[in-house]
Amino acid sequence: MSACTPKSLASSGQKPIQEMCHPLGAEEAVLTPSPDVRNLTSSIGEKDQILTNGTPVETSSPSSSSSLLNRLQLDDDLDGETRDLFVTVDDPKKHVSTMETYITYRVVTKTTRVEFDLPEYTVRRRYQDFDWLRTKLEDSQPTHLIPPLPEKFVMKGVVDRFSEEFVETRRKALDKFLKRVADHPVLSFNEHLNSFLSAKDLNKRQGLALLSKMGESVKYVTGGYKLRGRPVEFSAMGDYLDMFTQKLGTIDRIAQRIIKEQSEYLAELKEYGPVYTTWAASEVELQGPLEGVASCMANCSIALDELTQDMSGDFLPVLREYVLYIESMKAVLKKRDNVQAEYEAKREAAALRKEERPTAKVPTDVEKCQDRVECFNADLKSDWDQWQNNKTQDFRQLLTGMADHNIQYYEKCLAAWDLCVFQFLTGHLHRRQKSEED
Amino acid sequence: MMADSGPKEVAVIGNTELTSAELDNNIKNTMVEIEKGTNLLRKMEISVAEAEKRTGKNTVNMQEMYTVYLIETRPVDALTEGITPDSLWRRYSEFELLRNYLLVTYPFVVVAPLPEKRAEIVWHKLSADNMDPDFVERRRVGLENFLHRVASHPVLCNDNIFYIFLTEQDKDWKEMVYETGFQAKADSRLKAVNAAFRVKNPDGRFTELKHYSDELQTVLSQLLRVRARVADRLYGVYKVHGNYGRVFSEWSAIEKEMGDGLQSAGHHMDAYAASVDDILEEEEHYADQLKEYLFYTDALRAVCRKHELTQFELEMVALDLAYKKQQKEELVTGTVRTFSLKGMTSKLFGQETAEQREAKLQVLEQQLKEGEEAVKEKNTESDEFVKTAWVDIERFKDQKDRDLKEALISYAVMQISMCKKGIQVWTNAKECFNKM
């Protein structure tokens, strides 16, 4: 089976390990900006004059030893380029009003960028606000991949929207979203992001936003143009995403199955230990060892419960969120296709008209389309690279996390059984000594 | 062979025909041997080496399939000299016959149980099929264990029937066993149950022992059932992880950087899934150890029942004696204290003559003498039984504590090994993930 991964692209080239982004790491190297960015914002040129911000930001990313290590390692490898925008989402709080109950999250920003008036901001935002931001980003940067948000709608009867677990899972996803945006060389300079991070009250004007969103999407999605020659690299991306989605689905199912099997195993284990206690009650010599076994099994049950909780809380949500990320990427690919299709159609029409009037110039409309296509392609390629890097990092962390949880589980059980054997042997010795003394 | 290495301490052993009286003599002699501590197993290597399937005609002349087991014996010193063992084939039913014979002949002994006739407490991997090779193999081990238990028992190891069971193919062993007349000596179940209900003063220790064996039976049955369910679930958990192996392999094919790491991690997941088979195989050994003691509870209860029976018989005989004494007293003093038809009729129709009274008295005297003899005999019998039984029960208790403690320790060691393997596999997988 031929590998359908994107080939090395001219603009970005192979990145050395040092520059690979770790979405959950505090310090990250900024990617080489794509060509059009230089034209977009003049402030990029001033980037080199920005003072290095050395203060490590307190993030709410999981402080597991592996991610901490990763953070430190990346710090050492920085190529003189430093991040100048740090964002964190934390401190969820419940708000009860007469109309509704909802959760807000604290968004902390630390930055040295000139675009911001102050070096630090702290605001409170709710999910709606994040949604607004994402919509705005999609509208204003249609050629870029916007990271996904966690699921908007939850069935009120099924999931407790205010449970600690749900809120924490959502917070992590929102934090990841914002960090990905903040790390994006183009998106992070978006004015709407600025407002989101700094404004006291978001003047959202949702009505207008909705309209404009519809307008844009009509333009990019339901163009109705038929695509002729999609470049191979973009077809490859599409194929890869389809297959990847499939694999993720399978992994999700397996993970769920394992959790289910483990829960059933736990249920039986919880019945098993107490039988040893019952037995111990009718024994004399064996009472000690039997009770030792019973308490050991109780400890193993606790460890197993923790493992299942960890996998449900850490593993599954991240896996599912990636499916959303893939959907976003697919949507962008589709948009690109439509832009190219529009260009091709217009070009053909122009060519036909040119046949009629050979001296006429190529209309600027067609040129504009061509520009759009080329910009889109370039943006997409660089975003794709970043996405791939993020993906590798994310899955490395996810899977090592899974391995860690299992290792911890077995270590806890091992400790319990070691203690059990130790008690057997020392108890036995103690009894032997006693009987020798008698 | 018998002349060379058979136990010579007891004079009666060596005869092939044993009468009932000689059997009793046997018991009395072997009780002396308990102190000497002869142990057949020390002199002789016994093993159930193989199992084979045979077909043959059964009692109703129909073809049936059955399994035979090869019993090999060899004097212990022969190991170094490389002498080939003697061997013969026996069926499970012959083991059963041997055990029943021992139960009846030595009622004061807690006789080791046989392995399951049919696979009863199973988890999904084991079929309940008697012909299943795993079941047959575990039964072979169980039968060998049974023979070792008997051969190392201070009383049972000297039994001649047992010895011939082990060593002589030619003789019609079954005929021999029947000729001992042990079946006649067997107490009817009805008699035993009746005695259990009606006995007035059983030895408290036996009552306690009966309760203990009931409790042990209940708890071990439950333990084995739950353990089987736990094993089932554990199997499920491990095997599902094998699916990761497959999907990682498929996924690695579409990846560039991550491919190698994923592929190797997938292999580790496969290894993890496969490892459960060995783990559960080892645990079956633990389950078998528990099962042996579950079946031992039957033997314990049998000894208690025998005590109740002998005690009951003693009480009956003593009661009869007391009644006869009372009758004598009435006859002598002329008073009628208990209601009897004779008494009534004599009251109504006149007293008996002096000669009639004298004749009756003579008969009663004789009966009293016989009764007193009977009570003395039964008393001795009961005392002996209690004494010898309790010695064996203490021996059993020590054996049980030792064996089960060892079983629990090896179970814990098994769990430790399982945890270490788990840590190893996941650490290896983690390394692969880190390389992605």
Side-chain angles (χ1 to χ4, degrees):
Chain A
M1 181 178 172
S2 61
C4 301
T5 46
K7 300 187 202 105
S8 222
L9 301 167
S11 55
S12 42
Q14 281 288 44
K15 295 248 174 330
I17 278 234
Q18 291 92 309
E19 287 179 48
M20 279 206 312
C21 290
H22 192 317
L24 296 179
E27 307 283 341
E28 289 177 40
V30 177
L31 288 180
T32 319
S34 39
D36 63 329
V37 175
R38 291 205 185 90
N39 303 328
L40 266 177
T41 35
S42 53
S43 52
I44 295 276
E46 295 168 90
K47 192 160 50 68
D48 297 346
Q49 291 160 34
I50 295 167
L51 294 166
T52 23
N53 184 354
T55 28
V57 85
E58 182 202 286
T59 64
S60 5
S61 38
S63 55
S64 69
S65 56
S66 59
S67 79
L68 191 65
L69 206 57
N70 274 326
R71 275 210 324 242
L72 297 171
Q73 281 173 339
L74 284 169
D75 280 355
D76 291 341
D77 294 338
L78 285 175
D79 252 337
E81 290 190 287
T82 36
R83 255 188 41 236
D84 52 8
L85 176 66
F86 303 91
V87 293
T88 317
V89 178
D90 60 15
D91 190 31
K93 273 201 169 61
K94 196 166 171 182
H95 294 256
V96 184
S97 73
T98 45
M99 294 291 283
E100 52 175 350
T101 308
Y102 58 92
I103 306 268
T104 62
Y105 304 85
R106 186 178 71 161
V107 178
V108 179
T109 310
K110 291 196 173 109
T111 180
T112 53
R113 287 189 185 177
V114 188
E115 291 77 17
F116 291 88
D117 295 331
L118 300 172
E120 241 188 82
Y121 292 94
T122 302
V123 293
R124 286 229 144 239
R125 298 282 180 248
R126 54 188 289 190
Y127 183 93
Q128 264 180 22
D129 304 330
F130 284 84
D131 197 34
W132 169 88
L133 173 63
R134 188 171 194 280
T135 310
K136 289 311 243 185
L137 287 173
E138 264 189 333
D139 295 342
S140 51
Q141 314 278 182
T143 63
H144 282 289
L145 168 65
I146 318 293
L149 279 176
E151 294 281 351
K152 184 173 200 163
F153 297 109
V154 282
M155 292 183 62
K156 285 208 176 145
V158 177
V159 180
D160 180 7
R161 289 180 301 138
F162 304 108
S163 75
E164 234 182 83
E165 227 179 279
F166 177 78
V167 170
E168 177 56 18
T169 305
R170 220 186 215 197
R171 183 203 65 76
K172 282 191 202 156
L174 292 173
D175 182 76
K176 202 172 228 188
F177 164 76
L178 212 55
K179 283 187 158 74
R180 280 176 177 155
V181 172
D183 292 342
H184 195 283
V186 176
L187 296 179
S188 62
F189 288 93
N190 187 287
E191 52 169 344
H192 301 293
L193 177 66
N194 198 313
S195 313
F196 178 89
L197 294 176
S198 57
K200 269 282 165 243
D201 289 305
L202 275 182
N203 194 357
K204 285 180 278 190
R205 293 172 306 174
Q206 281 194 315
L208 233 69
L210 197 60
L211 272 175
S212 65
K213 178 176 185 174
M214 274 176 63
E216 297 291 307
S217 27
V218 165
K219 221 176 174 181
Y220 286 105
V221 179
T222 56
Y225 301 106
K226 215 175 106 183
L227 179 68
R228 212 76 62 76
R230 187 197 285 123
V232 171
E233 55 198 333
F234 297 114
S235 291
M237 286 182 196
D239 289 340
Y240 170 80
L241 288 176
D242 286 334
M243 286 188 286
F244 189 41
T245 307
Q246 218 185 43
K247 297 307 154 214
L248 284 189
T250 308
I251 292 175
D252 185 287
R253 275 192 301 280
I254 296 172
Q256 278 189 70
R257 178 79 189 277
I258 288 177
I259 288 172
K260 177 164 166 285
E261 295 282 342
Q262 277 173 344
S263 303
E264 290 177 349
Y265 173 53
L266 180 63
E268 297 294 352
L269 208 60
K270 281 190 174 155
E271 259 194 65
Y272 190 32
V275 181
Y276 283 97
T277 307
T278 309
W279 185 3
S282 37
E283 294 289 342
V284 175
E285 274 294 302
L286 292 174
Q287 191 176 51
L290 287 170
E291 283 178 346
V293 171
S295 85
C296 182
M297 286 187 174
N299 289 335
C300 290
S301 297
I302 292 171
L304 183 60
D305 200 19
E306 287 169 0
L307 174 64
T308 316
Q309 300 284 21
D310 286 342
M311 289 300 284
S312 292
D314 291 347
F315 191 78
L316 286 179
V318 175
L319 206 62
R320 283 169 190 164
E321 182 243 18
Y322 242 87
V323 175
L324 294 176
Y325 212 177
I326 292 171
E327 292 305 310
S328 308
M329 190 49 124
K330 275 193 192 162
V332 175
L333 279 174
K334 193 140 194 226
K335 274 194 236 169
R336 192 218 68 85
D337 281 352
N338 284 317
V339 169
Q340 181 176 336
E342 189 187 341
Y343 163 61
E344 281 174 353
K346 289 198 172 146
R347 190 186 57 191
E348 255 184 51
L352 280 171
R353 280 199 294 277
K354 203 166 170 214
E355 277 167 18
E356 293 160 21
R357 295 187 289 126
T359 50
K361 272 196 343 190
V362 175
T364 48
D365 191 29
V366 177
E367 274 178 359
K368 271 199 195 139
C369 275
Q370 188 179 24
D371 266 342
R372 266 223 297 268
V373 171
E374 283 172 8
C375 283
F376 213 135
N377 287 355
D379 286 348
L380 192 56
K381 279 179 200 170
S382 84
D383 276 1
W384 176 264
D385 281 345
Q386 179 167 11
W387 187 87
Q388 281 288 349
N389 285 334
N390 285 351
K391 180 206 75 188
T392 306
Q393 291 278 3
D394 287 343
F395 276 94
R396 181 185 306 147
Q397 187 176 46
L398 187 70
L399 293 170
T400 50
M402 171 170 87
D404 272 333
H405 285 138
N406 278 281
I407 291 170
Q408 279 162 29
Y409 161 70
Y410 278 115
E411 281 178 346
K412 285 178 203 163
C413 290
L414 180 64
W417 283 108
D418 268 338
L419 180 66
C420 189
V421 172
F422 176 74
Q423 283 172 341
F424 277 176
L425 298 174
T426 51
H428 178 72
L429 242 96
H430 176 76
R431 271 191 292 277
R432 268 250 299 272
Q433 277 175 346
K434 208 167 175 294
S435 67
E436 276 162 18
E437 284 166 15
D438 290 341
Chain B
M1 170 82 179
M2 238 169 36
D4 288 334
S5 54
K8 291 200 181 75
E9 288 80 355
V10 181
V12 179
I13 290 182
N15 290 353
T16 55
E17 315 266 348
L18 288 172
T19 63
S20 182
E22 281 163 335
L23 259 177
D24 288 336
N25 186 36
N26 219 351
I27 293 169
K28 292 203 186 91
N29 286 334
T30 53
M31 273 158 55
V32 176
E33 297 310 329
I34 292 168
E35 272 77 60
K36 284 201 192 161
T38 46
N39 185 331
L40 189 60
L41 210 53
R42 292 209 197 101
K43 298 188 201 292
M44 194 186 215
E45 199 185 276
I46 304 171
S47 70
V48 177
E50 279 166 44
E52 227 178 62
K53 289 201 192 110
R54 300 259 175 92
T55 46
K57 288 229 158 84
N58 64 8
T59 45
V60 290
N61 213 31
M62 285 177 63
Q63 282 284 92
E64 63 166 9
M65 275 259 282
Y66 58 90
T67 314
V68 284
Y69 300 87
L70 183 68
I71 301 177
E72 286 184 350
T73 49
R74 174 168 57 190
V76 161
D77 0 337
L79 265 172
T80 48
E81 294 168 47
I83 298 174
T84 52
D86 288 335
S87 63
L88 53 92
W89 296 93
R90 293 265 183 231
R91 286 181 69 162
Y92 186 88
S93 55
E94 293 176 274
F95 280 85
E96 279 182 311
L97 180 59
L98 171 66
R99 185 165 187 273
N100 288 337
Y101 160 78
L102 291 172
L103 278 171
V104 172
T105 314
Y106 306 92
F108 58 94
V109 169
V110 182
V111 180
L114 285 170
E116 285 176 301
K117 184 153 199 176
R118 270 162 269 281
E120 266 156 32
I121 307 170
V122 291
W123 60 281
H124 86 277
K125 199 184 139 195
L126 292 175
S127 60
D129 173 23
N130 286 357
M131 290 296 160
D132 175 59
D134 279 335
F135 176 73
V136 168
E137 169 60 19
R138 296 214 337 277
R139 226 215 225 172
R140 182 196 67 74
V141 171
L143 290 173
E144 189 179 274
N145 186 54
F146 167 75
L147 292 180
H148 286 172
R149 292 280 193 210
V150 177
S152 56
H153 190 280
V155 173
L156 300 180
C157 67
N158 297 309
D159 185 277
N160 194 46
I161 296 284
F162 173 58
Y163 189 79
I164 295 172
F165 176 88
L166 291 176
T167 54
E168 307 238 343
Q169 181 93 68
D170 302 333
K171 301 212 166 77
D172 191 347
W173 175 81
K174 269 188 169 167
E175 253 324 291
M176 279 180 61
V177 181
Y178 291 133
E179 274 173 17
T180 62
F182 82 95
Q183 286 161 318
K185 287 187 81 190
D187 301 314
S188 81
R189 199 52 178 244
L190 191 61
K191 223 167 73 166
V193 169
N194 181 46
F197 272 124
R198 294 169 59 189
V199 69
K200 293 212 177 68
N201 292 315
D203 185 314
R205 295 177 296 175
F206 284 94
T207 317
E208 222 181 275
L209 184 67
K210 204 161 72 154
H211 284 151
Y212 170 73
S213 60
D214 286 340
E215 277 173 5
L216 189 64
Q217 181 181 39
T218 309
V219 85
L220 284 180
S221 305
Q222 194 186 7
L223 194 64
L224 285 164
R225 263 199 313 275
V226 181
R227 191 213 70 89
R229 290 207 302 264
V230 169
D232 225 353
R233 290 295 170 205
L234 189 68
Y235 185 79
V237 171
Y238 271 75
K239 286 301 177 190
V240 178
H241 278 85
N243 294 336
Y244 273 146
R246 201 169 41 240
V247 78
F248 284 171
S249 176
E250 290 168 7
W251 183 9
S252 72
I254 63 172
E255 293 292 339
K256 206 163 63 164
E257 279 170 25
M258 288 164 56
D260 288 335
L262 275 176
Q263 182 83 296
S264 337
H267 289 322
H268 290 301
M269 289 293 101
D270 285 333
Y272 181 69
S275 69
V276 76
D277 293 315
D278 285 340
I279 290 169
L280 290 177
E281 192 59 51
E282 262 196 88
E283 267 201 26
E284 278 310 307
H285 177 62
Y286 172 68
D288 283 341
Q289 287 176 295
L290 294 180
K291 267 186 213 169
E292 193 197 11
Y293 277 93
L294 172 65
F295 300 149
Y296 252 126
T297 57
D298 276 338
L300 278 176
R301 268 192 296 270
V303 174
C304 293
R305 270 199 305 275
K306 184 67 180 178
H307 163 72
E308 283 165 350
L309 196 61
T310 46
Q311 179 68 15
F312 178 68
E313 284 172 357
L314 171 62
E315 285 173 7
M316 286 294 102
V317 161
L319 204 65
D320 189 61
L321 181 66
Y323 178 63
K324 295 243 158 34
K325 279 194 179 151
Q326 199 166 51
Q327 276 189 310
K328 175 185 170 183
E329 199 198 303
E330 286 172 11
L331 208 59
V332 164
T333 58
T335 56
V336 180
R337 234 166 323 142
T338 57
F339 176 82
S340 73
L341 198 59
K342 210 56 183 268
M344 281 313 295
T345 52
S346 59
K347 255 216 162 122
L348 290 170
F349 299 113
Q351 300 274 5
E352 305 155 305
T353 62
E355 288 93 16
Q356 282 176 322
R357 270 240 309 266
E358 196 52 45
K360 274 208 194 109
L361 210 59
Q362 289 247 344
V363 168
L364 261 178
E365 286 286 356
Q366 181 59 26
Q367 283 179 334
L368 276 172
K369 225 187 264 178
E370 286 170 0
E372 267 162 14
E373 276 300 316
V375 168
K376 213 165 39 172
E377 217 180 273
K378 280 287 174 196
N379 230 334
T380 316
E381 196 186 302
S382 183
D383 280 348
E384 293 251 317
F385 180 84
V386 168
K387 214 166 49 186
T388 54
W390 210 255
V391 166
D392 200 59
I393 286 163
E394 290 296 333
R395 177 204 64 81
F396 169 77
K397 279 187 183 169
D398 287 340
Q399 175 197 296
K400 177 208 75 173
D401 286 338
R402 261 194 327 265
D403 287 349
L404 290 177
K405 204 178 288 182
E406 192 204 296
L408 288 171
I409 292 182
S410 22
Y411 183 68
V413 168
M414 257 186 258
Q415 301 303 309
I416 287 173
S417 156
M418 180 174 96
C419 291
K420 286 191 174 157
K421 280 190 206 148
I423 291 171
Q424 186 65 59
V425 165
W426 282 104
T427 307
N428 291 341
K430 185 177 169 184
E431 263 175 50
C432 296
F433 292 141
N434 268 326
K435 291 202 195 118
M436 285 193 333

